[in-house]
């Protein structure tokens, strides 16, 4: 039995109750294809045991062993589909010493099993799991003995498990995206019926990899008298003089006994506050609250609004067990006056600036804390203060929320519902209720979480989408009522109650988009909106300027990633937007989305000279479209109080709406976000032959400034200038001018003239906008005469004439300039730093300077 792993635990036999012992079971696992699965006929080798990583997935194990190709490369995705259609078995061995066996409790704890899993100990089935978003605990001692103990996990294919039931349904529940691989008939998806990350079934930005495995840590917990099950930190009052919090502890007890429960709060300065209680614990789960008072508390603020002081709360149940949480002190209110939606933090209205976050990877265990921290740092550095954690993925690791706390990034946290109609049966809701209680209790102490939302587009789809309307007509009034009532109970009671009980200081919102049952869903007039007339509806980008929504929580525009990323998945061959490999990594419209990129280029920008130029132009189009929308939203303040574009990141190397690709490389959009989300900005909108100028400030006090708009001929001559001093109003958007073209440009031809709008503080421009009188494709932009000169890792870019959307393109060399996609006026120069593993000479040789000039 050479495959066995021995987890030897040197634990002295306790004369009295000993502290809880935790042993990670993350070594020595093996996996095999279930010998009874039909896939053995075509994959006999996989029916023999081979090395497995836990936590992980069998797909990762097969990739690591070289038994399936990397699905992220080329067109390999199809070659891994069989794995998610089969059943798999895992095994490991635990060596139990006599001292260990003397403990009163030996619990096996699984933080995540994906999904239909049966756990056996020494051949005895001990646990049947059916929810990938839950923690599972089993009392393993009755099945254990001194010596070697075999632990096995059998996980069924979620598709094969559910498919007979779905195929038998005359009208299966509407889901998200149909499979591209024929494993599920169109319109008959199994994903609505399972509590599993929805994105793994495929989305319009990511692949279909139906992962199977023990995807979160597994451990053995040995304990005697008491064990801390949950620690929640509840803020009861907060003012300048004092904060009152309560450490709420769920304690599992083995029997009736007296126990001292102690709590300590350590503040940002290291100062501590202590309290304790003597309590009588009864067998089972006990609820204990310890109040603590913090003098002169320091408030946690969103990024750009203040600091992020954090407090650490530690509790101890005698010597048996300890637990810690880090938290911040702040108040959160939803502003709902007149149908509005906004966030008031510590009494101050905060305009939410940010993006939507999708999962970091198809395989969650590949995502390191450093990778999460780097992405959030990129968001903060682009002047974002809010991230929406989208509901089609999974509840992220503690490290993600810790990083958001430290950086001041507010989190709009969805429950994990991605768009499909939910089953109406009580058993499904009961399963979700346990999931919600666990996850809210785990995450409630994080000050970054300022909203819990029931999920993504479930209720809006039920109310508004054509396929849902057809479904409702097909099933009849009674079934429609049953399903609708089931969703109302789930989103208005089950999930709302989980938040009210476990995170009473954090608001709940029943879905996104939503009005929380107050009015029609997904309109400008009430609640939050998901606006997809632009891009999905093929409407002109100028449609972003038509109205002022109350809170825009989704809108987006696609672009290609940089050439270094494209070559990493596409190889070295000749490429066009229609190359099979490019279509394989484009999921919008089942691979035909690159035609939408071309559609918008034809509508707005010049023709591409070659494929690399096509990549550049799509990034310009994306950056300009989202900048137009985001700045308009900010100019609509206070009617509009949030702008979260779709999407921040990627789940694999692909073509999508992201501003940062899977490798962490910035598209021009993310550079633009740093400008359009800047604390103070000038907005210049050219509509109907006139330019509207709005000044935006997130500061809490007036700022002395000057606004200026200068009209220029394309050859460089100044046609007119308007400027005026202004005190920027705090936390506001202020319209300062409307200038018609005749007054600003005179008789200059529209294609040969433009304007520069600037906001100056202390005589220095801090925000700039170029005003075009025609679509960029019709502007007579001259050859700018761009040049670059290098000094080590610093490059100076100069221009002789107007240069629009200048991109430093390093081709297949991975490089990160300190700015990109910027405008240069005639005679201007800018010096940038370039981060890269490549030497300066290689960077200089790889550099192409691109602009919108023909």
């Amino acid at each position: 039995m050479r495959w066995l792993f021995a987890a030897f635990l040197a634990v002295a036999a306790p004369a009295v109750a000993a502290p809880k012992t935790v042993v990670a079971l993350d070594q020595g696992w093996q996996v095999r294809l279930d010998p009874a699965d039909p896939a053995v006929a075509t994959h006999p080798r996989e029916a023999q045991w081979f090395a497995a990583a836990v936590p992980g997935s069998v797909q990762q194990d097969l990739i690591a062993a070289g038994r399936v190709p990397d699905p992220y490369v080329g067109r390999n995705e199809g070659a891994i589909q069989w794995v998610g259609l089969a059943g798999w078995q895992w095994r490991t061995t635990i060596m139990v010493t006599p001292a260990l066996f003397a403990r009163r409790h030996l619990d096996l704890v699984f933080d995540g099993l994906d999904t239909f899993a049966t756990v056996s100990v020494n051949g005895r089935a001990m646990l049947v799991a059916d929810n990938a978003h839950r923690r599972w605990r089993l009392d393993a001692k009755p099945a254990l003995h001194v010596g070697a103990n075999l632990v096995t996990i059998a996980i069924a294919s979620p598709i094969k498990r559910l498919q007979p039931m779905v195929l038998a349904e005359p009208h299966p529940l509407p889901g998200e995206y149909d499979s591209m691989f024929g494993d599920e008939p169109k319109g008959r998806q199994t994903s609505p019926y399972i509590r599993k990350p929805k994105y793994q079934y495929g989305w319009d930005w990511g692949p279909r990899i139906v992962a199977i495995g023990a995807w979160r840590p597994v451990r053995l917990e040995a304990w005697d008298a008491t064990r801390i099950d949950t620690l929640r930190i509840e803020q009861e009052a907060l003012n300048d003089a004092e904060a009152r919090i309560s450490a709420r502890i769920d304690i599992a007890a083995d029997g009736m006994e007296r126990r001292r429960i102690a709590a300590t709060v350590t503040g940002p300065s290291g100062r501590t506050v202590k309290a304790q209680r003597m309590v009588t614990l009864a067998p089972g789960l006990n609820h204990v609250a310890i109040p603590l008072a913090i003098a002169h508390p320091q408030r946690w603020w969103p990024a750009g609004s203040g600091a992020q002081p954090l407090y650490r709360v530690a509790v101890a149940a005698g010597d048996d067990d300890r637990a810690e949480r880090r938290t911040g002190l702040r108040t959160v209110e939803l502003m709902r006056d007149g149908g509005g939606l906004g966030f008031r933090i510590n009494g101050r209205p905060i305009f939410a600036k940010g993006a939507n976050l999708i999962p970091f990877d198809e395989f969650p265990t590949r995502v390191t804390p450093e990778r999460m921290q780097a992405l959030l740092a990129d968001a903060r550095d682009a002047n974002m203060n809010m991230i929406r954690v989208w509901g089609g993925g999974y509840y992220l690791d503690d490290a993600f929320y810790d990083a958001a706390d430290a950086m001041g990034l507010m989190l709009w946290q969805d429950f994990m519902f991605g768009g499909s109609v939910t089953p109406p049966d009580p058993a499904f809701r009961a399963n979700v209720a346990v999931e919600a209680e666990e996850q809210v209790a785990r995450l409630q102490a994080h000050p970054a979480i300022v909203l819990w939302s029931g999920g993504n587009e479930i209720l809006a789809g039920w109310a508004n989408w054509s396929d849902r309307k057809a479904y409702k007509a097909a099933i009849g009034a009674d079934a429609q009522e049953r399903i609708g009532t089931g969703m109302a109970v789930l989103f208005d009671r089950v999930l709302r109650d989980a938040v009210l009980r476990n995170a009473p200081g954090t608001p709940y919102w029943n879905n996104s988009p939503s009005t929380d049952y107050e009015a029609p869903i997904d309109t400008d007039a009430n609640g939050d909106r998901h606006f997809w007339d632009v891009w999905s509806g093929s409407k002109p980008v100028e449609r972003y300027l038509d109205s002022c929504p109350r809170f825009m929580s989704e809108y987006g525009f696609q672009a290609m990633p940089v050439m270094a990323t494209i070559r990493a998945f596409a190889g070295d061959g000749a490429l066009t937007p229609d190359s099979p490999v490019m279509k394989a990594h484009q999921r919008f419209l089942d691979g035909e989305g690159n035609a939408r990129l071309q559609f918008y280029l034809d509508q707005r920008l010049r023709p591409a000279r070659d494929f690399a130029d096509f990549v550049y132009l799509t990034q310009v189009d994306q950056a300009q479209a989202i900048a137009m929308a985001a700045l308009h939203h900010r100019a609509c303040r206070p009617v509009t109080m949030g702008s979260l574009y779709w999407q921040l990141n990627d789940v694999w190397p692909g073509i999508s709406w992201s501003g940062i690709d899977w490798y962490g490389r910035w598209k021009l959009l993310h550079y633009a976000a740093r400008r359009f989300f800047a604390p103070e900005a000038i907005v210049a909108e050219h509509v109907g032959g006139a330019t509207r100028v709005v000044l935006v400030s997130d500061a809490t006090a007036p700022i002395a400034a000057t606004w200026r708009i200068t009209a220029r001929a394309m050859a460089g001559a100044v046609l007119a200038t308007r400027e005026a001093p202004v005190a920027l109003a705090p936390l506001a958007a202020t319209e300062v001018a409307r200038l018609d073209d005749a007054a600003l440009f005179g008789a200059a031809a529209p294609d040969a003239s433009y304007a520069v709008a600037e906001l100056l503080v202390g005589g220095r421009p801090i925000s700039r906008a170029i005003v075009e009188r025609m679509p960029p494709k019709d502007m007579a932009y001259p050859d700018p005469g761009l040049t670059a000169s290098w000094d080590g890792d610093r490059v100076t870019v100069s221009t002789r004439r107007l240069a629009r959307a200048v991109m430093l393109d390093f081709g297949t060399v991975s490089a990160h300039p300190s700015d990109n996609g910027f405008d240069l006026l005639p005679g201007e120069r800018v010096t940038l730093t370039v981060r890269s593993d490549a030497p300066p000479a290689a960077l200089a040789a790889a550099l192409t300077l691109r602009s919108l000039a023909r």
Side-chain angles (χ1 to χ4, degrees):
M1 299 186 62
R2 295 175 57 193
W3 59 269
L4 296 179
F5 166 64
F8 291 98
L9 307 173
V11 180
V16 294
K20 183 178 74 175
T21 301
V22 178
V23 178
L25 302 179
D26 57 358
Q27 299 292 322
W29 289 88
Q30 292 187 316
V31 66
R32 71 176 179 183
L33 185 62
D34 184 340
D37 195 282
V40 170
T42 50
H43 300 278
R45 184 184 178 196
E46 278 62 53
Q48 305 300 313
W49 294 105
F50 60 98
V54 171
S57 68
V58 67
Q59 283 91 343
Q60 291 169 262
D61 299 328
L62 291 165
I63 294 168
R67 300 189 183 194
V68 296
D70 186 343
Y72 286 14
V73 175
R75 302 168 66 191
N76 291 336
E77 181 189 350
I80 205 170
Q81 296 305 308
W82 71 270
V83 182
L85 298 172
W88 297 86
Q89 299 173 343
W90 284 256
R91 71 180 182 182
T92 194
T93 291
I94 304 173
M95 293 297 296
V96 177
T97 65
L100 181 63
F101 195 71
R103 303 299 294 268
R104 296 186 209 171
H105 299 273
L106 296 174
D107 293 352
L108 278 173
V109 183
F110 301 85
D111 284 339
L113 292 170
D114 194 356
T115 297
F116 293 124
T118 300
V119 177
S120 299
V121 180
N122 293 324
R124 177 177 170 184
M126 303 287 287
L127 170 69
V128 176
D130 61 354
N131 187 329
H133 299 300
R134 283 177 55 181
R135 180 183 68 241
W136 300 91
R137 175 184 294 270
L138 67 90
D139 178 5
K141 187 168 184 180
L144 293 171
H145 53 250
V146 174
N149 293 264
L150 177 65
V151 177
T152 62
I153 307 171
I155 303 183
S157 162
I159 295 173
K160 294 299 186 183
R161 169 70 65 87
L162 293 170
Q163 200 163 58
M165 179 266 291
V166 174
L167 294 178
E169 284 281 342
H171 301 289
L173 294 172
E176 288 101 0
Y177 291 90
D178 286 322
S179 172
M180 298 172 61
F181 299 99
D183 52 325
E184 293 187 298
K186 300 293 185 183
R188 292 186 171 269
Q189 301 171 16
T190 56
S191 62
Y193 299 89
I194 188 173
R195 294 307 297 145
K196 173 180 174 60
K198 301 297 185 183
Y199 77 104
Q200 294 176 350
Y201 289 86
W203 219 268
D204 58 0
W205 36 253
R208 182 178 175 91
I209 303 177
V210 183
I212 295 176
W215 73 285
R216 286 205 183 279
V218 181
R219 61 188 177 276
L220 181 71
E221 293 187 0
W223 59 285
D224 293 312
T226 58
R227 171 182 58 81
I228 295 175
D229 187 73
T230 305
L231 168 61
R232 298 185 297 277
I233 311 302
E234 185 173 323
Q235 180 182 291
E236 298 175 346
L238 176 63
N239 56 52
D240 291 342
E242 183 182 65
R244 294 195 302 276
I245 66 172
S246 182
R248 297 191 175 272
I249 314 150
D250 293 339
I251 302 176
D254 188 63
M256 185 77 71
E257 64 178 285
R258 294 280 287 171
R259 180 70 60 180
R260 176 179 285 106
I261 312 299
T264 302
V265 178
T266 304
S269 66
R271 181 182 175 186
T272 61
V273 176
K274 298 183 178 183
Q276 62 182 17
R277 287 182 61 189
M278 289 296 298
V279 298
T280 299
L281 301 176
L285 202 62
N286 299 260
H287 307 289
V288 178
I290 301 181
L292 298 123
I294 302 169
H296 308 295
Q298 300 179 51
R299 286 177 170 83
W300 181 95
W301 287 96
S305 297
Q308 293 81 43
L310 297 169
Y311 292 78
R312 186 166 295 278
V313 181
V315 299
D319 294 326
D320 287 11
D321 202 2
R322 294 177 53 83
E324 286 192 359
R325 290 284 186 273
R326 196 176 69 172
T327 193
L329 305 174
R330 52 88 178 117
T331 60
V332 183
E333 304 167 74
L334 279 189
M335 301 186 297
R336 293 289 288 129
D337 295 346
L341 177 64
F343 293 87
R344 186 179 286 114
I345 309 297
N346 300 323
R348 181 187 304 169
I350 306 291
F351 189 99
K353 305 179 296 184
N356 288 257
L357 180 92
I358 65 171
F360 289 79
D361 198 281
E362 280 294 312
F363 305 115
T365 54
R366 298 206 301 202
V367 183
T368 63
E370 292 76 18
R371 185 171 165 193
M372 291 185 283
Q373 291 164 6
L375 185 72
L376 290 179
D378 285 346
R380 177 203 57 199
D381 293 346
N383 292 308
M384 295 184 186
N385 61 16
M386 177 175 276
I387 300 296
R388 175 178 171 236
V389 182
W390 169 79
Y394 58 93
Y395 305 94
L396 294 162
D397 294 347
D398 291 334
F400 171 84
Y401 300 95
D402 288 340
D405 291 342
M407 296 181 197
L409 288 168
M410 298 182 289
L411 298 177
W412 172 311
Q413 175 68 54
D414 280 1
F415 284 98
M416 291 300 115
F417 291 90
S420 61
V421 175
T422 55
D425 54 290
F428 178 85
R429 292 195 296 273
N431 195 349
V432 171
V434 178
E435 165 195 325
E437 292 281 335
E438 287 182 357
Q439 295 294 350
V440 179
R442 176 174 74 93
L443 299 175
Q444 58 83 224
H446 291 283
I449 299 177
V450 298
L451 184 76
W452 280 91
S453 170
N456 176 73
E457 296 183 346
I458 301 99
L459 300 182
W462 184 249
N464 299 329
W465 295 357
S466 60
D467 68 324
R468 271 43 169 179
K469 291 179 180 179
Y471 175 76
K472 288 187 283 189
I475 62 176
D478 289 346
Q480 178 181 333
E481 177 69 16
R482 185 168 64 91
I483 292 172
T485 299
M487 287 193 289
V489 173
L490 176 62
F491 294 112
D492 195 37
R493 286 173 46 190
V494 172
L495 299 183
R496 192 186 303 274
D497 288 351
V499 175
L500 288 174
R501 281 193 299 270
N502 294 283
T506 303
Y508 173 77
W509 192 244
N510 72 346
N511 241 241
S512 180
S514 171
T515 61
D516 208 20
Y517 297 113
E518 290 185 4
I521 302 171
D522 204 13
T523 72
D524 287 331
N526 200 312
D528 67 313
R529 280 217 73 182
H530 290 188
F531 184 79
W532 286 104
D533 286 6
V534 177
W535 184 263
S536 295
S538 300
K539 302 300 187 208
V541 297
E542 289 76 16
R543 287 289 295 272
Y544 286 133
L545 307 179
D546 286 352
S547 62
C548 292
R550 307 316 301 268
F551 192 109
M552 188 68 86
S553 52
E554 263 194 41
Y555 61 101
F557 201 96
Q558 275 200 1
M560 291 273 173
V562 296
M563 286 300 299
T565 293
I566 291 172
R567 286 302 183 190
F569 70 73
D572 297 330
L575 292 173
T576 71
D578 290 329
S579 296
V581 69
M582 297 305 297
K583 295 175 74 169
H585 286 253
Q586 163 65 274
R587 288 314 165 85
F588 180 66
L589 297 180
D590 292 335
E592 299 303 323
N594 292 337
R596 188 64 52 87
L597 289 169
Q598 185 64 60
F599 168 83
Y600 275 107
L601 292 186
D602 293 343
Q603 191 177 89
R604 295 195 70 248
L605 301 182
R606 62 168 172 77
R609 300 184 181 96
D610 52 31
F611 183 74
D613 197 45
F614 175 83
V615 169
Y616 157 72
L617 290 170
T618 69
Q619 291 203 18
V620 173
D621 222 6
Q622 179 191 44
Q624 291 186 348
I626 300 303
M628 181 186 297
L631 286 168
H632 179 71
H633 298 153
R634 296 187 72 188
C636 286
R637 181 174 183 163
V639 173
T640 305
M641 285 301 293
S643 182
L644 309 179
Y645 64 77
W646 187 272
Q647 64 207 58
L648 179 64
N649 62 315
D650 270 328
V651 75
W652 77 324
I655 303 148
S656 79
W657 296 265
S658 71
I660 302 175
D661 73 24
W662 183 75
Y663 288 99
R665 295 166 179 149
W666 290 19
K667 298 180 186 178
L668 296 186
L669 168 59
H670 202 72
Y671 289 99
R674 190 164 56 193
R675 295 187 283 271
F676 61 67
F677 281 151
E680 287 76 47
I682 189 166
V683 184
E685 297 176 348
H686 187 266
V687 179
T691 301
R692 173 177 177 250
V693 181
V694 180
L695 307 180
V696 177
S697 176
D698 293 334
T700 58
I703 297 175
T706 299
W707 68 269
R708 179 171 65 207
I709 185 164
T710 304
R712 291 174 174 263
M714 200 65 74
V718 173
L719 303 175
T721 299
R722 302 284 189 276
E723 70 175 71
V726 65
L728 290 180
L731 303 174
T734 306
E735 182 175 317
V736 294
R738 281 182 184 262
L739 305 169
D740 63 43
D741 284 357
L744 194 56
F745 296 102
D751 66 339
S753 57
Y754 64 97
V756 183
E758 295 174 294
L759 178 63
L760 301 93
V761 174
R764 182 178 64 88
I766 63 169
S767 179
R768 173 193 283 175
I770 300 294
V771 178
E772 295 163 321
R773 302 173 65 188
M774 305 181 71
K777 69 174 182 176
D778 297 323
M779 296 294 291
Y781 289 129
D783 179 353
L786 290 165
T787 59
S789 60
W790 288 83
D791 180 10
D793 63 352
R794 293 165 62 83
V795 59
T796 298
V797 179
S798 305
T799 186
R800 294 196 301 274
R801 291 169 287 277
L802 175 67
R804 288 282 279 130
V806 176
M807 181 183 187
L808 284 73
D809 185 351
F810 292 94
T812 59
V813 176
S814 184
H816 181 87
S818 55
D819 198 7
N820 217 347
F822 47 83
D823 300 316
L824 288 177
L825 299 180
E828 278 192 331
R829 65 177 56 196
V830 62
T831 299
L832 309 169
T833 301
V834 181
R835 293 200 322 265
S836 177
D837 292 334
L843 292 174
L847 176 62
T848 298
L849 293 175
R850 301 186 184 276
S851 79
L852 288 183
R854 292 179 179 274

